[in-house]
Amino acid sequence: MTGEEYVAAAYAIVFVFVLVYVATIAAKLVRLQRDTAELLELARRREQA
Amino acid sequence: MSSAFSWIRALPALAALSAGLMGLALLFSFFIAPEDGDQGISQRIFYIHVPIALTAYFCFGLGAWKALLLLWRGEERHDLESYVAIHQGTIFGSLTLITGAIWAKASWGVWWSWDSNQLVLFLTLFLFYCAYFMLRFSLPEGPRRARSSAVYALFGVALIPVSFLAIRLAEDFVHPTTFTRDGPQMTGTMFTAFCVSWAAVTLLAYVLYRVELVGKRLHTDLRELREALE
């Protein structure tokens, strides 16, 4: 590998790590949104009962 | 809950600032800072590796500080803050080890050297905080887990100055000393590039810390709400 390739690899790994982290956070946000919708449904059903 | 939402409002601005600083850091590191006469282009890894390493130390230190606050004041919120800071520290610690190994291979022809005290001490610190998660998740949730995790996090902080100073205490062929008592051993532009990169990585870590914290607090609030409704 050349010096340029090592530099590119180092920066690319950092970029990929941040990307994976953001994707993980996004997946968790989707789960939280689903939980919120479920709770809203539960609260509405209780209100009607 | 209200503090979580106040941070949600500030987060987009901080995230945008972090992205802007990252772009500026890349501009400085690749186009403005001159090429190193000794190491050539591979020296540019320095602008990402060192700020990431310093951020990892900062995150572990923050985790220990929050752990101390938990033990001192007994406020439950510090447990989650300590956990998230240490989580961030292990992420940045992994990146430090990976980028450091790439830089070592590019400059000195080895991925790793067991003879280097700096490398071994950083690995010890990293593994110590990896074991934090094993301890934390082996205990049932509650005050006992929070206190045990806090004590463990506090023990680890002793390794931070040792790891940081090892580079100065040992004659090390892998790690040159860049910051001496005479100031930074680099040109003004190189130092500016380093400072911008450091600011960018620190802010990125802070944004990720706050995002994770908000997410975890929301998760806890929703769980409590579910228990109240069911």
Side-chain angles (χ1 to χ4, degrees), chain A residues 1 3-15, chain B residues 45 98-99 102:
Chain A
M1 277 175 86
E4 286 88 347
E5 285 170 333
Y6 280 118
V7 175
Y11 279 83
I13 282 168
V14 174
F15 180 73
Chain B
I45 298 174
I98 295 167
T99 55
I102 293 171

Side-chain angles (χ1 to χ4, degrees), chain B residues 149-200:
Chain B
S149 303
V151 169
Y152 190 90
L154 268 177
F155 273 124
V157 81
L159 287 167
I160 296 173
V162 178
S163 171
F164 190 76
L165 292 172
I167 191 170
R168 281 155 185 84
L169 298 174
E171 289 296 322
D172 197 327
F173 85 97
V174 175
H175 267 91
T177 307
T178 312
F179 298 97
T180 63
R181 286 179 183 174
D182 303 323
Q185 304 300 300
M186 59 182 103
T187 66
T189 330
M190 282 175 157
F191 185 60
T192 308
F194 166 73
C195 289
V196 173
S197 299
W198 191 8

Side-chain angles (χ1 to χ4, degrees), chain A residues 6-7 11 21 38-39 46, chain B residues 44 88 91 212 226 229:
Chain A
Y6 280 118
V7 175
Y11 279 83
Y21 189 87
E38 271 177 31
L39 286 173
R46 277 183 62 134
Chain B
R44 293 187 195 277
Q88 293 290 321
I91 290 170
E212 189 173 338
R226 184 183 290 276
L229 282 170

Side-chain angles (χ1 to χ4, degrees), chain B residues 5 18 29 133 139:
Chain B
F5 280 106
S18 168
S29 305
F133 299 100
L139 296 170

Side-chain angles (χ1 to χ4, degrees), chain A residues 1-7 9-11 13-14 17-18 21-22 25 28-29 31-36 38-40 42-43 46, chain B residues 26 29-30 41-42 44-45 47-48 52 88 91 95 98-99 102 105-106 204 208 211-212 215-216 219 222 225-226 228-230:
Chain A
M1 277 175 86
T2 63
E4 286 88 347
E5 285 170 333
Y6 280 118
V7 175
Y11 279 83
I13 282 168
V14 174
F17 250 73
V18 173
Y21 189 87
V22 171
I25 294 287
K28 282 179 182 170
L29 276 178
R31 201 178 63 206
L32 285 175
Q33 191 187 28
R34 200 176 52 226
D35 286 352
T36 313
E38 271 177 31
L39 286 173
L40 188 67
L42 195 67
R46 277 183 62 134
Chain B
L26 288 174
S29 305
F30 284 101
I41 194 166
S42 63
R44 293 187 195 277
I45 298 174
Y47 301 117
I48 194 78
I52 284 175
Q88 293 290 321
I91 290 170
L95 283 173
I98 295 167
T99 55
I102 293 171
K105 180 68 181 167
L204 174 73
L208 295 179
V211 167
E212 189 173 338
K216 293 219 178 290
H219 177 72
L222 283 177
L225 186 61
R226 184 183 290 276
L229 282 170
E230 283 175 348

